[in-house]
Amino acid sequence: MHLLPDTLDAGSAYPLGATFDGLGVNFAVYSANAEKIELCVYDETGRRELKRYPLPEWTDEVWHGYLPDAQPGLVYGYRAHGRYAPEEGHRFNPNKLLLDPYAKQMIGELRWTDAMYGYQVKSPRVDLSFDKRDSALTMPKGVVTDSHFDWSRDVRPNTPWSETVIYEAHTKGLTKLFEEVQPSERGTFAALGNPKVIDHLKRLGVTAIELLPIHTYIQDRFLQEKGLRNYWGYNTLNFFTPERSFFATNSHDELRRSIRRLHAAGIEVILDVVYNHTCEGSEQGPTLSWRGLDNASYYRLVKDDPRYSINDTGTGNTLNLTKARVIQMVADSLRYWATSFGIDGFRFDLGLTLGRTDTGFDPGAGFFDVLRQDPVLGRLKLITEPWDIGPGGYQLGNFLPVSPSGTTNTATPCANSGAAIMRSAPTSPRA
């Protein structure tokens, strides 16, 4: 690694994340309430911190700085300084290393210790206490990437809704016992593009494969303590990074190549995505990323007692899609998957949650408007699961658009999930 400078240049508030421009890396992270954010740079193993920089600028609630001569492969994390006042919704603790919400690649495994929590786990004051232990050794770190891939010869199938047959599949489960795939690739992204797997899908008459969550996710502490594992993946740690356990190689191009091969066979790829909550759980959960960067902005909190998280998802927390920067994070994630990985559509887990406001569900919520007007996302297949466990949490048929007669055209339920397809044309049932 080159000699690191003593300070960062000002850089830019856009784009968010760690962006390599050929001459260095721009770092930008959203926090409306932090008093200072530090960039921590690590060696290539992620074990030794090399330098710690305060981000020098704060523009429109985005902290940013530029590291000249930095290259893809740089390992980094953040520390956020501010008030630790859980009764007011603030949980800043600079002793906790935080994963960049926009990290495109990660290194290291999350290892559960009590240091992963912003408070003292065994304290009688519970989350009102403050933990001073450093969590860096047990936290995964972000890695700067240069994710160029040549999609110029790729042709998206763009199958009409009326001819679409969707096959819902788990990336590992689909091919783990598939004998015609070589053992080293079974259960991985590489297997999705195997000719024998594609032939199997074609024989079934499938026009699209819908992958259960492939965003990187964590294994819950209580499961690991019981010797169990999270198979399904609805426990997201990062919205931009593919789950590493699904790779046969060390390259994200493995997934991109399989998607190109599926497209060449006329098969679209849809992702089941979980933007309604994160793996940080309730107010008694760990501090890994969003909670430490700005708990009061990223999450919906009880209005009269913001110490507590609103739990409309049944997982302990609910992302706050009434905040413009949180909407931006979700839209940027969707756009990244659509452009960098060639994804053809998305199925929104507990999609009703994405339209929640302080007064309940709003079919005209800002996030839905963003989706419909976006020149990239508005052209994709968009499917929503129309319920959550919050008040008025069943809204099948109540998603826009609405026909001139005043009835919605989104009430076609899909098998297994009770999902509603966000479109105005009729659809075939899912396989």
Side-chain angles (χ1 to χ4, degrees), residues 43-61:
D43 68 4
E44 61 184 11
T45 68
R47 297 189 183 95
R48 183 168 65 93
E49 184 177 314
L50 302 176
K51 204 82 172 180
R52 191 177 297 190
Y53 299 100
L55 293 179
E57 298 288 337
W58 189 60
T59 304
D60 194 16
E61 301 182 334

Side-chain angles (χ1 to χ4, degrees), residues 233-254:
Y234 293 86
N235 206 23
T236 308
L237 174 61
N238 184 271
F239 295 121
F240 290 80
T241 307
E243 169 58 33
R244 283 176 289 176
S245 67
F246 294 155
F247 281 97
T249 65
N250 292 322
S251 173
H252 287 183
D253 287 349
E254 174 186 326

